[in-house]
Amino acid sequence: MPRPFEYFKYYSAVVDTPFTCAYIFLWLYPRMPPTPFGDQLKREREMRGVSIEEISAATRISTRFLEALEKEQWDQLPGGVFRRGFIRSVARFLGLDGDALISEYELQTKDISPDRPTSNYSSEIPRNYRPAAAALAILAALLAGGWFAYKYYAPEIAARIHKRQSAPAAGSTTVPASPADPTAANTGASANAADPSIPLDLKIQAGRPSDLKVSADGKPVFDGHIEADEVKQFEAHDTLEITATDPSALFLELNGQTVPPIGTPGQPGSITLTHKDLKRQPGGPN
């Protein structure tokens, strides 16, 4: 019968690899399983000469729970953070690394804490959104400034545009009457004269909010607040008095004729309109 060493020589020749002592020891002595968690905890306690009662008095953990830890009786222990808190307190008392002991417990029991941070780091390069945020902020500021300027100066700009557009039309339609034609002269004079029998029709449109007071023939007809883009109409026989906290925000039309802005922007002002104001042709001097 061949000796064991001859078997080693035979297998070495077949595999074409030297059969060293490492292979022999691995074959004869397989890897031992890790020490159970409870036995490891008990061994650390006994090496320090500490009793379970001493640990219980120091950590305020019941001896029943401490014995269940060493015996790995998990059904007698509260789960979740309480169990890990017991392990951490015992490790601190024995001078051990609490995180390492909890990791050993989780490795053996497969009880992974959901609060433990994972090691899955994102490989994506973080993006810098500051330039885009700054550009959006500048754009929002420009839009807000444009909207404010439009609301503040829209009535005044509309009045000036209407005045410039109506001036050439008024100049082109005016035909001087011939001295030999007294009928045409009388017609032109009557067209420029104000007829007191015609009622005064006032239209007010707000470009932005303002407080407004209106009196017709000496009687108050409106006293309140007018919102942006709101339109009010009033009628009188002789006079119309308008008072506003910001009269430049109002666009006025008297019998279809544009009335120039009242006062300076942002300052209170008032105006009284009569039939004489109807003599002003659109686009004429204020």
Side-chain angles (χ1 to χ4, degrees):
M1 182 176 181
R3 297 179 180 179
F5 182 74
E6 294 180 357
Y7 283 110
F8 298 154
K9 289 175 60 179
Y10 171 74
Y11 287 120
S12 175
V14 172
V15 181
D16 197 16
T17 303
F19 212 115
T20 60
C21 295
Y23 291 98
I24 299 174
F25 286 118
L26 287 175
W27 178 59
L28 295 178
Y29 302 99
R31 182 177 182 271
M32 298 298 292
T35 304
F37 175 79
D39 294 343
Q40 179 181 355
L41 190 63
K42 181 178 180 180
R43 183 184 61 187
E44 295 290 343
R45 177 181 62 80
E46 292 177 346
M47 287 175 57
R48 289 162 176 76
V50 179
S51 64
I52 292 180
E53 287 75 12
E54 292 175 347
I55 299 178
S56 176
T59 60
R60 304 296 179 86
I61 301 174
S62 173
T63 56
R64 179 170 59 87
F65 291 155
L66 295 175
E67 292 176 353
L69 275 177
E70 293 186 354
K71 296 178 181 180
E72 298 185 6
Q73 297 174 348
W74 310 121
D75 56 338
Q76 298 183 14
L77 290 169
V81 295
F82 296 100
R83 190 179 301 176
R84 290 172 176 80
F86 293 166
I87 297 173
R88 193 179 300 276
S89 299
V90 173
R92 187 183 301 111
F93 181 81
L94 297 178
L96 302 174
D97 186 356
D99 293 335
L101 198 61
I102 291 176
S103 299
E104 186 68 22
Y105 156 76
E106 293 178 347
L107 181 63
Q108 294 189 21
T109 60
K110 308 299 182 182
D111 183 14
I112 305 300
S113 173
D115 299 333
R116 182 177 294 272
T118 59
S119 59
N120 296 328
Y121 297 99
S122 176
S123 59
E124 184 180 358
I125 300 176
R127 299 179 180 178
N128 187 5
Y129 294 98
R130 292 183 179 179
L136 289 177
I138 294 173
L139 180 60
L142 292 176
L143 292 176
W147 179 85
F148 178 77
Y150 169 76
K151 287 294 184 181
Y152 194 86
Y153 296 104
E156 185 175 356
I157 294 173
R160 292 182 179 180
I161 293 175
H162 183 73
K163 185 187 301 182
R164 291 179 181 179
Q165 291 178 351
S166 58
S172 61
T173 56
T174 303
V175 179
S178 174
D181 190 359
T183 305
N186 294 334
T187 303
S190 61
N192 292 329
D195 188 358
S197 63
I198 298 177
L200 299 175
D201 186 9
L202 177 64
K203 177 183 178 182
I204 301 177
Q205 183 175 2
R208 56 181 178 274
S210 177
D211 292 332
L212 177 65
K213 292 182 180 180
V214 180
S215 298
D217 298 327
K219 298 180 181 180
V221 293
F222 182 80
D223 186 359
H225 188 76
I226 184 170
E227 297 292 341
D229 300 328
E230 187 175 356
V231 178
K232 296 287 186 181
Q233 287 189 334
F234 306 96
E235 186 175 338
H237 292 287
D238 297 321
T239 59
L240 284 165
E241 297 180 5
I242 302 98
T243 303
T245 56
D246 189 3
S248 63
L250 304 177
F251 180 73
L252 279 64
E253 285 187 1
L254 182 63
N255 289 33
Q257 297 182 14
T258 302
V259 179
I262 313 168
T264 58
Q267 298 294 330
S270 61
I271 189 174
T272 302
L273 302 176
T274 64
H275 286 88
K276 296 180 180 180
D277 295 287
L278 293 177
K279 294 180 180 180
R280 301 174 184 174
Q281 297 295 330
N286 293 335

